[in-house]
Amino acid sequence: MKAMTLKAPGGLDKLTLTDMDDPGDPGPGEIRVRVRASSLNFHDYGIVSGAMPSEDGRIPMSDGAGEVEAVGDGVTEFAAGDAVVSTFFPGWHDGPPPIADFTTTPGDGIDGFAREVVVAPATSFTRSPIGWSHEEAATITTAGLTAWRALVVDGGLKAGDDVLVLGTGGVSIYALQIARAMGARVFATTSSDQKAERLRELGAHAVVNYSEDETWGETIAGMTGGRGVDHVVEVGGPATLAQSISACRIGGHMALIGVLTGRAGEIPTAKLMAKHQVLQGLIVGSRAHQADMVRGMETTGLKPILDRAFPLQDLADAFRHEESGAHFGKIVVQI
């Protein structure tokens, strides 16, 4: 089978399309999946760029979607021909988070989905939403489920809430779509007038250009009549958190899910305390969360925004496109 491997210490020029042995038939409790698509995430970029060390020869990509080719003994949830999508933490099935690292995450601690065939425990997958392409389904594993957990699971999103999303990456666009589908009002930030127009087309109530407005948090709070938003999907990290605190209402919920501006920095803790806000860190979610999200996507009719598709052999070019920041929504890889 064909697979993309990464030579240590990483770098886009260290990605190599390789012929590997077929993994064979599934054992008890396992399924064999013909992988058809993956999608790019900031975490994947950290691995392939070498910013996050990984094992020599690692197969990258945390997201995988495809169809079941065979099932092992004892598997009753899936059958040959079923469309499935991978989970980010294969061992986290339900309940509170049991892990605080990426040692079990495909494409990081274990081999990922930049390959044609995977044999793994059936519990490492959920079914894909009915009617979704494999490319669409592949966006659920990381970006989709992160947005879902931030707003629905942890945030308790309800109709009439105000939501702030930052930028136009995969998580932010998913969060905008989920919030709108559930009757919330969405505010967004971007540095591009063209992307601002696309955000409005997707239903954003208002968009602020953060490159032109350094106090965009106060501006957005003003747009809510001074109350502030109920939820912030915080993908930026230290350089954006202070403004997110300003934008968020007293007692509001901020989901800290990104480090796009760095891994550490100053936080105005006194203001966070004074506003009684909840700042909750999270990394993706459980298999049960993902199964709930799949049902939610089918019920709402929501589908992800896809930016561009690349063939597996052009994976490095896909990441260069991500590097450029020109994308809007999810970049996918066809396998």
PDB file of all heavy atoms in Angstrom, residues 145-178:
ATOM      1  N   LEU A 145     -14.849  18.270  15.853  1.00  0.00           N
ATOM      2  CA  LEU A 145     -15.165  17.862  17.220  1.00  0.00           C
ATOM      3  C   LEU A 145     -14.673  18.883  18.238  1.00  0.00           C
ATOM      4  O   LEU A 145     -15.307  19.085  19.285  1.00  0.00           O
ATOM      5  CB  LEU A 145     -14.573  16.484  17.522  1.00  0.00           C
ATOM      6  CG  LEU A 145     -14.986  15.872  18.855  1.00  0.00           C
ATOM      7  CD1 LEU A 145     -16.506  15.813  18.988  1.00  0.00           C
ATOM      8  CD2 LEU A 145     -14.375  14.499  19.046  1.00  0.00           C
ATOM      9  N   THR A 146     -13.569  19.558  17.946  1.00  0.00           N
ATOM     10  CA  THR A 146     -13.090  20.611  18.842  1.00  0.00           C
ATOM     11  C   THR A 146     -14.125  21.722  18.956  1.00  0.00           C
ATOM     12  O   THR A 146     -14.452  22.187  20.061  1.00  0.00           O
ATOM     13  CB  THR A 146     -11.757  21.180  18.342  1.00  0.00           C
ATOM     14  OG1 THR A 146     -10.767  20.150  18.353  1.00  0.00           O
ATOM     15  CG2 THR A 146     -11.295  22.331  19.208  1.00  0.00           C
ATOM     16  N   ALA A 147     -14.654  22.171  17.819  1.00  0.00           N
ATOM     17  CA  ALA A 147     -15.674  23.227  17.835  1.00  0.00           C
ATOM     18  C   ALA A 147     -16.937  22.755  18.541  1.00  0.00           C
ATOM     19  O   ALA A 147     -17.550  23.504  19.323  1.00  0.00           O
ATOM     20  CB  ALA A 147     -15.981  23.655  16.403  1.00  0.00           C
ATOM     21  N   TRP A 148     -17.333  21.527  18.283  1.00  0.00           N
ATOM     22  CA  TRP A 148     -18.538  20.961  18.913  1.00  0.00           C
ATOM     23  C   TRP A 148     -18.390  20.901  20.430  1.00  0.00           C
ATOM     24  O   TRP A 148     -19.278  21.326  21.180  1.00  0.00           O
ATOM     25  CB  TRP A 148     -18.802  19.566  18.348  1.00  0.00           C
ATOM     26  CG  TRP A 148     -19.951  18.839  18.967  1.00  0.00           C
ATOM     27  CD1 TRP A 148     -19.910  17.965  20.028  1.00  0.00           C
ATOM     28  CD2 TRP A 148     -21.333  18.912  18.586  1.00  0.00           C
ATOM     29  NE1 TRP A 148     -21.161  17.483  20.310  1.00  0.00           N
ATOM     30  CE2 TRP A 148     -22.054  18.051  19.440  1.00  0.00           C
ATOM     31  CE3 TRP A 148     -22.011  19.609  17.590  1.00  0.00           C
ATOM     32  CZ2 TRP A 148     -23.430  17.874  19.335  1.00  0.00           C
ATOM     33  CZ3 TRP A 148     -23.391  19.434  17.491  1.00  0.00           C
ATOM     34  CH2 TRP A 148     -24.091  18.586  18.355  1.00  0.00           C
ATOM     35  N   ARG A 149     -17.258  20.389  20.892  1.00  0.00           N
ATOM     36  CA  ARG A 149     -17.070  20.284  22.340  1.00  0.00           C
ATOM     37  C   ARG A 149     -16.996  21.667  22.979  1.00  0.00           C
ATOM     38  O   ARG A 149     -17.577  21.905  24.040  1.00  0.00           O
ATOM     39  CB  ARG A 149     -15.804  19.489  22.651  1.00  0.00           C
ATOM     40  CG  ARG A 149     -15.600  19.314  24.162  1.00  0.00           C
ATOM     41  CD  ARG A 149     -14.351  18.539  24.487  1.00  0.00           C
ATOM     42  NE  ARG A 149     -14.017  18.691  25.900  1.00  0.00           N
ATOM     43  CZ  ARG A 149     -12.831  18.463  26.422  1.00  0.00           C
ATOM     44  NH1 ARG A 149     -11.838  18.054  25.640  1.00  0.00           N
ATOM     45  NH2 ARG A 149     -12.607  18.629  27.704  1.00  0.00           N
ATOM     46  N   ALA A 150     -16.267  22.590  22.326  1.00  0.00           N
ATOM     47  CA  ALA A 150     -16.119  23.930  22.884  1.00  0.00           C
ATOM     48  C   ALA A 150     -17.464  24.590  23.113  1.00  0.00           C
ATOM     49  O   ALA A 150     -17.704  25.201  24.172  1.00  0.00           O
ATOM     50  CB  ALA A 150     -15.259  24.784  21.958  1.00  0.00           C
ATOM     51  N   LEU A 151     -18.356  24.472  22.150  1.00  0.00           N
ATOM     52  CA  LEU A 151     -19.629  25.184  22.223  1.00  0.00           C
ATOM     53  C   LEU A 151     -20.749  24.366  22.862  1.00  0.00           C
ATOM     54  O   LEU A 151     -21.479  24.862  23.725  1.00  0.00           O
ATOM     55  CB  LEU A 151     -20.061  25.617  20.822  1.00  0.00           C
ATOM     56  CG  LEU A 151     -19.223  26.716  20.161  1.00  0.00           C
ATOM     57  CD1 LEU A 151     -19.701  26.958  18.743  1.00  0.00           C
ATOM     58  CD2 LEU A 151     -19.276  28.004  20.974  1.00  0.00           C
ATOM     59  N   VAL A 152     -20.885  23.123  22.445  1.00  0.00           N
ATOM     60  CA  VAL A 152     -22.051  22.329  22.849  1.00  0.00           C
ATOM     61  C   VAL A 152     -21.807  21.557  24.129  1.00  0.00           C
ATOM     62  O   VAL A 152     -22.603  21.619  25.074  1.00  0.00           O
ATOM     63  CB  VAL A 152     -22.464  21.377  21.706  1.00  0.00           C
ATOM     64  CG1 VAL A 152     -23.665  20.531  22.116  1.00  0.00           C
ATOM     65  CG2 VAL A 152     -22.764  22.163  20.433  1.00  0.00           C
ATOM     66  N   VAL A 153     -20.696  20.819  24.181  1.00  0.00           N
ATOM     67  CA  VAL A 153     -20.434  19.960  25.347  1.00  0.00           C
ATOM     68  C   VAL A 153     -20.031  20.799  26.559  1.00  0.00           C
ATOM     69  O   VAL A 153     -20.648  20.715  27.622  1.00  0.00           O
ATOM     70  CB  VAL A 153     -19.350  18.921  25.018  1.00  0.00           C
ATOM     71  CG1 VAL A 153     -19.076  18.040  26.242  1.00  0.00           C
ATOM     72  CG2 VAL A 153     -19.755  18.064  23.827  1.00  0.00           C
ATOM     73  N   ASP A 154     -18.984  21.600  26.409  1.00  0.00           N
ATOM     74  CA  ASP A 154     -18.476  22.379  27.537  1.00  0.00           C
ATOM     75  C   ASP A 154     -19.214  23.704  27.726  1.00  0.00           C
ATOM     76  O   ASP A 154     -19.413  24.157  28.854  1.00  0.00           O
ATOM     77  CB  ASP A 154     -16.980  22.671  27.354  1.00  0.00           C
ATOM     78  CG  ASP A 154     -16.120  21.429  27.435  1.00  0.00           C
ATOM     79  OD1 ASP A 154     -16.620  20.386  27.891  1.00  0.00           O
ATOM     80  OD2 ASP A 154     -14.933  21.492  27.039  1.00  0.00           O
ATOM     81  N   GLY A 155     -19.600  24.330  26.623  1.00  0.00           N
ATOM     82  CA  GLY A 155     -20.210  25.653  26.707  1.00  0.00           C
ATOM     83  C   GLY A 155     -21.708  25.665  26.916  1.00  0.00           C
ATOM     84  O   GLY A 155     -22.265  26.689  27.314  1.00  0.00           O
ATOM     85  N   GLY A 156     -22.379  24.531  26.643  1.00  0.00           N
ATOM     86  CA  GLY A 156     -23.834  24.493  26.800  1.00  0.00           C
ATOM     87  C   GLY A 156     -24.556  25.470  25.890  1.00  0.00           C
ATOM     88  O   GLY A 156     -25.534  26.106  26.292  1.00  0.00           O
ATOM     89  N   LEU A 157     -24.084  25.606  24.666  1.00  0.00           N
ATOM     90  CA  LEU A 157     -24.649  26.553  23.702  1.00  0.00           C
ATOM     91  C   LEU A 157     -26.165  26.396  23.578  1.00  0.00           C
ATOM     92  O   LEU A 157     -26.670  25.280  23.519  1.00  0.00           O
ATOM     93  CB  LEU A 157     -23.998  26.329  22.335  1.00  0.00           C
ATOM     94  CG  LEU A 157     -24.486  27.214  21.194  1.00  0.00           C
ATOM     95  CD1 LEU A 157     -23.970  28.633  21.362  1.00  0.00           C
ATOM     96  CD2 LEU A 157     -24.022  26.631  19.850  1.00  0.00           C
ATOM     97  N   LYS A 158     -26.851  27.535  23.507  1.00  0.00           N
ATOM     98  CA  LYS A 158     -28.297  27.495  23.299  1.00  0.00           C
ATOM     99  C   LYS A 158     -28.705  28.617  22.358  1.00  0.00           C
ATOM    100  O   LYS A 158     -27.955  29.580  22.134  1.00  0.00           O
ATOM    101  CB  LYS A 158     -29.040  27.621  24.626  1.00  0.00           C
ATOM    102  CG  LYS A 158     -28.841  28.935  25.347  1.00  0.00           C
ATOM    103  CD  LYS A 158     -29.553  28.944  26.681  1.00  0.00           C
ATOM    104  CE  LYS A 158     -29.446  30.287  27.378  1.00  0.00           C
ATOM    105  NZ  LYS A 158     -28.054  30.706  27.611  1.00  0.00           N
ATOM    106  N   ALA A 159     -29.886  28.497  21.800  1.00  0.00           N
ATOM    107  CA  ALA A 159     -30.404  29.520  20.897  1.00  0.00           C
ATOM    108  C   ALA A 159     -30.443  30.868  21.605  1.00  0.00           C
ATOM    109  O   ALA A 159     -30.809  30.960  22.777  1.00  0.00           O
ATOM    110  CB  ALA A 159     -31.808  29.133  20.422  1.00  0.00           C
ATOM    111  N   GLY A 160     -30.029  31.904  20.874  1.00  0.00           N
ATOM    112  CA  GLY A 160     -30.008  33.243  21.433  1.00  0.00           C
ATOM    113  C   GLY A 160     -28.679  33.659  22.016  1.00  0.00           C
ATOM    114  O   GLY A 160     -28.483  34.840  22.326  1.00  0.00           O
ATOM    115  N   ASP A 161     -27.748  32.715  22.185  1.00  0.00           N
ATOM    116  CA  ASP A 161     -26.424  33.057  22.701  1.00  0.00           C
ATOM    117  C   ASP A 161     -25.630  33.848  21.668  1.00  0.00           C
ATOM    118  O   ASP A 161     -25.890  33.760  20.462  1.00  0.00           O
ATOM    119  CB  ASP A 161     -25.635  31.792  23.059  1.00  0.00           C
ATOM    120  CG  ASP A 161     -26.059  31.177  24.386  1.00  0.00           C
ATOM    121  OD1 ASP A 161     -26.889  31.792  25.086  1.00  0.00           O
ATOM    122  OD2 ASP A 161     -25.553  30.083  24.713  1.00  0.00           O
ATOM    123  N   ASP A 162     -24.642  34.589  22.153  1.00  0.00           N
ATOM    124  CA  ASP A 162     -23.684  35.282  21.303  1.00  0.00           C
ATOM    125  C   ASP A 162     -22.345  34.549  21.359  1.00  0.00           C
ATOM    126  O   ASP A 162     -21.870  34.207  22.454  1.00  0.00           O
ATOM    127  CB  ASP A 162     -23.479  36.730  21.742  1.00  0.00           C
ATOM    128  CG  ASP A 162     -24.631  37.638  21.321  1.00  0.00           C
ATOM    129  OD1 ASP A 162     -25.320  37.300  20.347  1.00  0.00           O
ATOM    130  OD2 ASP A 162     -24.831  38.678  21.976  1.00  0.00           O
ATOM    131  N   VAL A 163     -21.756  34.321  20.189  1.00  0.00           N
ATOM    132  CA  VAL A 163     -20.515  33.558  20.066  1.00  0.00           C
ATOM    133  C   VAL A 163     -19.484  34.388  19.317  1.00  0.00           C
ATOM    134  O   VAL A 163     -19.816  35.042  18.317  1.00  0.00           O
ATOM    135  CB  VAL A 163     -20.764  32.229  19.321  1.00  0.00           C
ATOM    136  CG1 VAL A 163     -19.454  31.486  19.077  1.00  0.00           C
ATOM    137  CG2 VAL A 163     -21.743  31.352  20.093  1.00  0.00           C
ATOM    138  N   LEU A 164     -18.247  34.339  19.779  1.00  0.00           N
ATOM    139  CA  LEU A 164     -17.139  34.978  19.072  1.00  0.00           C
ATOM    140  C   LEU A 164     -16.187  33.918  18.555  1.00  0.00           C
ATOM    141  O   LEU A 164     -15.743  33.052  19.317  1.00  0.00           O
ATOM    142  CB  LEU A 164     -16.376  35.937  19.997  1.00  0.00           C
ATOM    143  CG  LEU A 164     -15.043  36.508  19.463  1.00  0.00           C
ATOM    144  CD1 LEU A 164     -15.255  37.303  18.191  1.00  0.00           C
ATOM    145  CD2 LEU A 164     -14.358  37.339  20.544  1.00  0.00           C
ATOM    146  N   VAL A 165     -15.878  33.978  17.261  1.00  0.00           N
ATOM    147  CA  VAL A 165     -14.873  33.102  16.665  1.00  0.00           C
ATOM    148  C   VAL A 165     -13.741  33.958  16.117  1.00  0.00           C
ATOM    149  O   VAL A 165     -13.967  35.079  15.637  1.00  0.00           O
ATOM    150  CB  VAL A 165     -15.462  32.204  15.556  1.00  0.00           C
ATOM    151  CG1 VAL A 165     -16.569  31.328  16.119  1.00  0.00           C
ATOM    152  CG2 VAL A 165     -15.982  33.021  14.388  1.00  0.00           C
ATOM    153  N   LEU A 166     -12.522  33.443  16.185  1.00  0.00           N
ATOM    154  CA  LEU A 166     -11.339  34.185  15.769  1.00  0.00           C
ATOM    155  C   LEU A 166     -10.770  33.593  14.487  1.00  0.00           C
ATOM    156  O   LEU A 166     -10.406  32.419  14.446  1.00  0.00           O
ATOM    157  CB  LEU A 166     -10.271  34.151  16.867  1.00  0.00           C
ATOM    158  CG  LEU A 166     -10.709  34.539  18.282  1.00  0.00           C
ATOM    159  CD1 LEU A 166      -9.515  34.523  19.221  1.00  0.00           C
ATOM    160  CD2 LEU A 166     -11.390  35.895  18.296  1.00  0.00           C
ATOM    161  N   GLY A 167     -10.701  34.398  13.433  1.00  0.00           N
ATOM    162  CA  GLY A 167     -10.088  33.951  12.191  1.00  0.00           C
ATOM    163  C   GLY A 167     -10.977  33.036  11.375  1.00  0.00           C
ATOM    164  O   GLY A 167     -12.173  32.869  11.652  1.00  0.00           O
ATOM    165  N   THR A 168     -10.347  32.424  10.365  1.00  0.00           N
ATOM    166  CA  THR A 168     -11.122  31.636   9.390  1.00  0.00           C
ATOM    167  C   THR A 168     -10.532  30.239   9.187  1.00  0.00           C
ATOM    168  O   THR A 168     -10.670  29.644   8.134  1.00  0.00           O
ATOM    169  CB  THR A 168     -11.166  32.363   8.036  1.00  0.00           C
ATOM    170  OG1 THR A 168      -9.823  32.642   7.601  1.00  0.00           O
ATOM    171  CG2 THR A 168     -11.941  33.661   8.138  1.00  0.00           C
ATOM    172  N   GLY A 169      -9.868  29.721  10.212  1.00  0.00           N
ATOM    173  CA  GLY A 169      -9.377  28.357  10.148  1.00  0.00           C
ATOM    174  C   GLY A 169     -10.497  27.354  10.325  1.00  0.00           C
ATOM    175  O   GLY A 169     -11.665  27.710  10.524  1.00  0.00           O
ATOM    176  N   GLY A 170     -10.140  26.071  10.275  1.00  0.00           N
ATOM    177  CA  GLY A 170     -11.139  25.017  10.304  1.00  0.00           C
ATOM    178  C   GLY A 170     -12.012  25.020  11.537  1.00  0.00           C
ATOM    179  O   GLY A 170     -13.240  24.886  11.449  1.00  0.00           O
ATOM    180  N   VAL A 171     -11.417  25.166  12.730  1.00  0.00           N
ATOM    181  CA  VAL A 171     -12.203  25.160  13.962  1.00  0.00           C
ATOM    182  C   VAL A 171     -13.143  26.359  14.006  1.00  0.00           C
ATOM    183  O   VAL A 171     -14.322  26.238  14.360  1.00  0.00           O
ATOM    184  CB  VAL A 171     -11.275  25.159  15.194  1.00  0.00           C
ATOM    185  CG1 VAL A 171     -12.090  25.317  16.478  1.00  0.00           C
ATOM    186  CG2 VAL A 171     -10.464  23.873  15.255  1.00  0.00           C
ATOM    187  N   SER A 172     -12.625  27.523  13.640  1.00  0.00           N
ATOM    188  CA  SER A 172     -13.438  28.742  13.723  1.00  0.00           C
ATOM    189  C   SER A 172     -14.629  28.696  12.774  1.00  0.00           C
ATOM    190  O   SER A 172     -15.747  29.093  13.137  1.00  0.00           O
ATOM    191  CB  SER A 172     -12.565  29.962  13.419  1.00  0.00           C
ATOM    192  OG  SER A 172     -11.559  30.113  14.399  1.00  0.00           O
ATOM    193  N   ILE A 173     -14.421  28.222  11.556  1.00  0.00           N
ATOM    194  CA  ILE A 173     -15.527  28.138  10.600  1.00  0.00           C
ATOM    195  C   ILE A 173     -16.552  27.099  11.056  1.00  0.00           C
ATOM    196  O   ILE A 173     -17.769  27.321  10.981  1.00  0.00           O
ATOM    197  CB  ILE A 173     -15.006  27.805   9.192  1.00  0.00           C
ATOM    198  CG1 ILE A 173     -14.100  28.932   8.676  1.00  0.00           C
ATOM    199  CG2 ILE A 173     -16.168  27.596   8.229  1.00  0.00           C
ATOM    200  CD1 ILE A 173     -14.767  30.279   8.582  1.00  0.00           C
ATOM    201  N   TYR A 174     -16.066  25.968  11.551  1.00  0.00           N
ATOM    202  CA  TYR A 174     -16.982  24.968  12.095  1.00  0.00           C
ATOM    203  C   TYR A 174     -17.807  25.567  13.238  1.00  0.00           C
ATOM    204  O   TYR A 174     -19.023  25.364  13.336  1.00  0.00           O
ATOM    205  CB  TYR A 174     -16.207  23.766  12.615  1.00  0.00           C
ATOM    206  CG  TYR A 174     -16.425  22.479  11.859  1.00  0.00           C
ATOM    207  CD1 TYR A 174     -15.366  21.813  11.261  1.00  0.00           C
ATOM    208  CD2 TYR A 174     -17.690  21.882  11.779  1.00  0.00           C
ATOM    209  CE1 TYR A 174     -15.551  20.621  10.580  1.00  0.00           C
ATOM    210  CE2 TYR A 174     -17.888  20.688  11.118  1.00  0.00           C
ATOM    211  CZ  TYR A 174     -16.813  20.053  10.515  1.00  0.00           C
ATOM    212  OH  TYR A 174     -17.007  18.872   9.851  1.00  0.00           O
ATOM    213  N   ALA A 175     -17.139  26.305  14.133  1.00  0.00           N
ATOM    214  CA  ALA A 175     -17.837  26.898  15.274  1.00  0.00           C
ATOM    215  C   ALA A 175     -18.903  27.881  14.806  1.00  0.00           C
ATOM    216  O   ALA A 175     -20.014  27.923  15.354  1.00  0.00           O
ATOM    217  CB  ALA A 175     -16.832  27.589  16.197  1.00  0.00           C
ATOM    218  N   LEU A 176     -18.577  28.674  13.793  1.00  0.00           N
ATOM    219  CA  LEU A 176     -19.557  29.610  13.236  1.00  0.00           C
ATOM    220  C   LEU A 176     -20.780  28.848  12.720  1.00  0.00           C
ATOM    221  O   LEU A 176     -21.929  29.211  13.008  1.00  0.00           O
ATOM    222  CB  LEU A 176     -18.912  30.427  12.120  1.00  0.00           C
ATOM    223  CG  LEU A 176     -19.704  31.583  11.490  1.00  0.00           C
ATOM    224  CD1 LEU A 176     -18.751  32.554  10.799  1.00  0.00           C
ATOM    225  CD2 LEU A 176     -20.754  31.107  10.482  1.00  0.00           C
ATOM    226  N   GLN A 177     -20.527  27.791  11.964  1.00  0.00           N
ATOM    227  CA  GLN A 177     -21.633  27.032  11.380  1.00  0.00           C
ATOM    228  C   GLN A 177     -22.489  26.359  12.452  1.00  0.00           C
ATOM    229  O   GLN A 177     -23.723  26.366  12.384  1.00  0.00           O
ATOM    230  CB  GLN A 177     -21.085  25.975  10.421  1.00  0.00           C
ATOM    231  CG  GLN A 177     -20.438  26.538   9.163  1.00  0.00           C
ATOM    232  CD  GLN A 177     -19.952  25.418   8.267  1.00  0.00           C
ATOM    233  OE1 GLN A 177     -18.883  24.858   8.492  1.00  0.00           O
ATOM    234  NE2 GLN A 177     -20.745  25.072   7.278  1.00  0.00           N
ATOM    235  N   ILE A 178     -21.825  25.743  13.442  1.00  0.00           N
ATOM    236  CA  ILE A 178     -22.569  25.072  14.512  1.00  0.00           C
ATOM    237  C   ILE A 178     -23.408  26.078  15.292  1.00  0.00           C
ATOM    238  O   ILE A 178     -24.590  25.844  15.584  1.00  0.00           O
ATOM    239  CB  ILE A 178     -21.599  24.325  15.446  1.00  0.00           C
ATOM    240  CG1 ILE A 178     -20.988  23.117  14.719  1.00  0.00           C
ATOM    241  CG2 ILE A 178     -22.308  23.860  16.712  1.00  0.00           C
ATOM    242  CD1 ILE A 178     -19.818  22.475  15.461  1.00  0.00           C
TER     243      ILE A 178
END
